[in-house]
């Protein structure tokens, strides 16, 4: 199995609901380092799964919708606890949609699984991985 | 599949038995950076697998039993070569026992697999991963 | 010249005023990895500048006042652009005050200069360093 | 499942063929940080999968054949686009051959899968993993 | 003293002349992670030394002239051993020229010193720092 | 001012004397990542301060005397608290002696200052820097 990965980052504000979260119920924020890995059993004739430049650009476009935002105020997110796990899944779905839309080029249809990892600090991270349908 | 991970560290002394180990047969030591990943197919309603604060606290309690110790002198470890692989398994078992005991909260019963990685330097590491019973 | 350093982190929300900041004028947030270095020409008889445990504890107390906060709502910060440079200086002043108050122990009077570095992502950081009076 | 990993690095020149690669069609180069992970369901009686020293030495020998080379001029590579994915597979095959030849010692026959990851920068990497036959 | 830093990277081919360099006399290559630090005794009223976005953009433009190049073929570099130290100085001079040309904005005239660090691997780096005239 | 740096590591056991050290009074151990920086106002004609290969080899020889050792049992260290600060100075002195002995080659006489940094974990480090006589 081959994989290729790229890193970006995003800086957001948000708050959590639920006593579980203690002081994180207050409005605060995070820098997430966002790693996306594309996995495939095969390589295109060019020798790549997806072009690293195109993959980076697609990730940047996904992150741009969140960058410098208060997630509590985004209509599609306001009902959710935007935990690191939740955001990993959200970015997974949005990158997957861009692959399906052909944005990563014709070779990207060989991508079988994606993994999205968000590092919220040097001592904590979360991820979501799954198959592409 | 979701995952969430936390990092701690522990500083220990030990020695190894067997010619294979060359100079590491002498009493020496290590700092291990210890990463624990909790994996689950689902998230609790709160949006998390386990709370990062609780996960970090549980890891700290596991590491405290080893921190600043000579592992050669701990009765339960003295018969073993406490290699990085061995210690990854040991910490896996001890974190798993704390999950089973309910220390990570009611949501933690959804954790299906654990992975424990120990970085012994910037150029070497070992890990153990397995399912929780 | 000797130095000793410790790392903590803090997760905050804030916004900036001024066209210079573009989209960062919106409410957003950051994780800062915070490194504090203590420098001294001499070591105490114990062989340390300051004890790493005490230094870490003092840094944690400084960061706790900011952790999980919206800096725009803290009275003493509301008039300022809490840029990474500004926050490095703020934390410098607060760690310096704790040294002056004797919190880092009797040996800490030999500390001559402090450097505080805040990493806001894997590709950007700021710092403030200066002499202690 | 246990795993143990070691890191090395290699500095090479190469160029790519295909419009997809844009400016990377020009002769350029890279430092690859190369991580090799050995996985096994069991540990040898010594407590290791493979000795970290032997694993590092085997990786160094594999990398030495590429280090400080222009890959476009190596007969066995000249027909290929030596992308990061391609090189991860190449190094996988060469480490696997050394395991099969007994270079990593008698315990290494328990290694079931290998994973080779090449970091080409702080923001991009590729990997190949597979079972040993 | 305040400082602010940004990171970029560049992938180049080159070779060295002189027996000192051993196998690095062959055409090979490197990824350099490039850190630029801007230092100033004061902050602009906005709270920054230079805007991180503008600093990153200026660094990217400097690196673009080198990215995906064989440095042996660039007329201005062909007579030189483009060692890591040499390239740190080259990038220093080019960033300094962009500051002098006003590219980093009106606040940048307060920058007193620059430091440019190039990481050629996880175990080696070089830097050049100096005052701006 | 130019600088060039190399990284090595060393794994040791030791204990500390003095109540200040709390549980670190017990025999324990550490992995130190050891960074040595060589600084010079000028470059040799070759374009380097010192050759990275030679610098790495000299550091390895210095570290070999400590690697896999219990520092409490080394006659020259037994009377000391081998704190991270102390060890940074010790390695500084030993690298300086190797420069003076000509081990880093004829160009190394231009090295004016050395800095030695020891990372004892991902959250703590110490350093010693000074001029060469």
């Amino acid at each position: 199995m081959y994989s290729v990965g790229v890193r970006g980052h995003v800086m957001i504000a948000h708050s959590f609901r639920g006593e579980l979260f203690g002081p994180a119920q207050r409005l605060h924020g995070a820098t997430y380092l966002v790693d996306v890995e594309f996995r495939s059993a095969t390589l295109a004739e060019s020798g790549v799964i997806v072009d690293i430049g195109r993959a980076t650009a697609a990730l940047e476009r996904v992150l741009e919708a969140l960058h410098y935002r208060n997630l509590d105020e985004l209509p599609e997110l306001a009902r959710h606890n935007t935990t690191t796990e939740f955001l990993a899944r959200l970015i997974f779905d949005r990158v997957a949609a861009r692959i399906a839309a052909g944005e990563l080029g014709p070779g990207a249809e060989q991508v079988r699984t994606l993994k999205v990892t968000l590092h919220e600090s040097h001592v904590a991270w979360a991820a979501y991985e799954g198959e592409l349908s």
Side-chain angles (χ1 to χ4, degrees), chain A:
Chain A
M1 181 65 71
Y2 292 95
S3 57
V4 67
V6 295
R7 171 168 283 193
H9 76 282
V10 65
M11 303 175 88
I12 57 89
H14 61 169
S15 63
F16 298 138
R17 278 161 303 191
E19 282 185 26
L20 167 73
F21 293 102
Q25 295 175 84
R26 300 193 295 249
L27 184 65
H28 64 286
T31 306
Y32 296 109
L33 310 188
V34 182
D35 294 340
V36 182
E37 274 191 25
F38 304 84
R39 294 183 189 150
S40 166
T42 54
L43 295 185
E45 208 193 314
S46 59
V48 302
I49 300 176
V50 294
D51 175 54
I52 282 175
R54 278 194 170 188
T56 302
L59 175 58
E60 287 309 312
R61 282 189 295 267
V62 167
L63 295 181
E64 205 177 330
L66 304 171
H67 207 26
Y68 295 125
R69 297 282 178 187
N70 177 358
L71 303 186
D72 295 355
E73 292 179 353
L74 295 185
E76 73 275 27
L77 299 180
R79 294 173 308 110
H80 296 283
N81 270 336
T82 53
T83 59
T84 313
E85 293 94 323
F86 176 91
L87 291 171
R89 174 63 184 269
L90 181 83
I91 293 170
F92 175 97
D93 287 339
R94 292 183 177 181
V95 172
R98 286 178 183 267
I99 294 173
E103 257 186 52
L104 276 90
E109 72 273 350
Q110 66 187 331
V111 177
R112 208 184 277 178
T113 58
L114 275 186
K115 181 175 184 180
V116 175
T117 306
L118 271 68
H119 303 268
E120 69 171 58
S121 74
H122 61 313
V123 291
W125 63 95
Y128 182 77
E129 67 180 290
E131 304 208 359
L132 296 185
S133 49

